[in-house]
Amino acid sequence: MSLTDSISSTPRRTAFVLAGGGSLAAVEVGMLQALLDWGETPSFMVGASAGAINAAYFAADPTRDGADKLERLWCVIRRRDVFPLNLGSVIGLLRRRDYLVDSYGLRSLLQKHVAYERLEDARLPLHIVASDMLTGEEVLLSSGSVVDAVLASAAIPGVFPPVRIDARLLVDGGVANNTPISTAIKLGATRVVVLPTGFACAIGQIPTGAIVRALHALSLLVSRQLVHDAEHFANSQVELRIVPSLCPLHTSPYDYSSARALIAQSKACTERWLEDGGMERGDIPGPLQEHHH
């Protein structure tokens, strides 16, 4: 048997890779809905940062109904649910605490809405990417507490506290690998479908505020790294498909009030991309490239 025959006879394993991007992760819901309507189903999920939240929720019910439930959840989440800034936050800063926001809000949200306790109990195999705070090394979490794994993956350094898992302090997966294409390939994917959040390419000016600036910078980093990774894997044996993000996009990754509109726009954009043969091409969508409005 030739190498070509061997590759062609390998069962297809499709990984959905969900990137981070704060509140802009709502767009991944619209992408999921359109992909599922098109007949695309993942063999497993890989999530990092805010994408880990979506992946963990969807893995409990990896169906169109599950994606619709995720949409309804996004439409009731408010900024204070994720970033509960209060008097305690101010006192913590005065005491030289090394993070801005307690993670109890996000922990409570996950405990309430994720319908299983351990990663290995998800209906769809789920892998969460975090980063070792000391070394910056990528840490792949595939078993253990799903809430702790997601909190670790979403723990933006300086914004949220790190999460201790075993002997390691873990922070946002974006430090090591925010769009973990390489991780999906190592896990055996023959086809990788990336759901990127994109970035606020049309906001016009640098945002103000420590948290919003951190989130904006992180979303820019994710997009740049995704372009780099896509170019790196362009000539590999793995099929790489990147769903286009929204453009122009005026919404800050700190704005949780626009989820319903973002989901609807993303679903329509993904449907157009699919109808135009997007799943047959391996190109890098223009909205992820450097551009101006």
Side-chain angles (χ1 to χ4, degrees):
M1 179 183 291
S2 69
L3 177 61
T4 302
D5 290 338
S6 176
I7 293 171
S8 63
S9 63
T10 302
R12 172 179 281 182
R13 296 194 74 222
T14 298
F16 279 11
V17 173
L18 278 61
S23 63
L24 298 183
V27 304
E28 295 174 342
V29 181
M31 294 172 180
L32 275 173
Q33 291 171 331
L35 288 166
L36 292 167
D37 288 346
W38 195 257
E40 293 291 338
T41 55
S43 303
F44 62 92
M45 305 278 287
V46 182
S49 197
I53 300 172
N54 284 336
Y57 188 94
F58 180 71
D61 183 7
T63 65
R64 183 58 158 84
D65 186 53
D68 290 345
K69 291 176 184 175
L70 182 56
E71 176 183 12
R72 290 192 289 273
L73 176 59
W74 267 102
C75 291
V76 298
I77 292 176
R78 296 294 175 258
R79 181 190 299 168
R80 62 179 177 272
D81 297 324
V82 182
F83 298 99
L85 295 172
N86 50 31
L87 182 60
S89 303
V90 177
I91 293 173
L93 288 175
L94 292 175
R95 292 178 177 173
R96 298 186 179 181
R97 187 175 67 184
D98 53 8
Y99 57 89
L100 291 172
V101 184
D102 280 308
S103 57
Y104 69 82
L106 184 54
R107 177 178 289 275
S108 176
L109 197 67
L110 292 168
Q111 289 174 334
K112 180 178 180 180
H113 294 286
V114 176
Y116 55 99
E117 293 185 359
R118 300 182 64 81
L119 289 163
E120 59 267 39
D121 294 333
R123 282 180 56 189
L124 184 69
L126 171 65
H127 308 276
I128 302 296
V129 174
S131 306
D132 187 302
M133 189 175 182
L134 179 63
T135 66
E137 178 185 2
E138 177 182 326
V139 178
L140 182 63
L141 301 168
S142 303
S143 61
S145 167
V146 63
V147 171
D148 285 349
V150 173
L151 284 176
S153 186
I156 304 167
V159 176
F160 289 116
V163 176
R164 183 174 294 279
I165 295 181
D166 297 327
R168 287 174 144 175
L169 278 178
L170 303 182
V171 293
D172 197 302
V175 174
N177 197 355
N178 206 297
T179 310
I181 297 170
S182 59
T183 304
I185 294 172
K186 290 175 185 175
L187 289 166
T190 61
R191 188 165 174 256
V192 177
V193 181
V194 179
L195 284 64
T197 60
F199 58 96
C201 56
I203 56 173
Q205 60 184 11
I206 298 172
T208 58
I211 297 176
V212 66
R213 283 192 172 186
L215 287 168
H216 180 68
L218 185 61
S219 64
L220 291 173
L221 172 65
V222 173
S223 296
R224 300 295 182 268
Q225 186 61 43
L226 174 52
V227 170
H228 177 271
D229 289 351
E231 292 171 344
H232 175 75
F233 289 106
N235 297 317
S236 70
Q237 296 291 345
V238 176
E239 292 181 47
L240 178 61
R241 302 292 181 260
I242 304 174
V243 181
S245 51
L246 296 179
C247 180
L249 184 58
H250 301 82
T251 306
S252 160
Y254 193 48
D255 178 5
Y256 283 78
S257 66
S258 303
R260 189 182 303 277
L262 289 175
I263 292 169
Q265 292 166 19
S266 178
K267 181 175 181 291
C269 177
T270 305
E271 287 170 345
R272 291 192 297 270
W273 176 74
L274 289 166
E275 291 165 0
D276 194 39
M279 288 299 290
E280 306 305 318
R281 303 190 305 270
D283 53 336
I284 302 173
L288 292 174
Q289 311 268 7
E290 291 187 31
H291 63 279
H292 303 280
H293 293 282

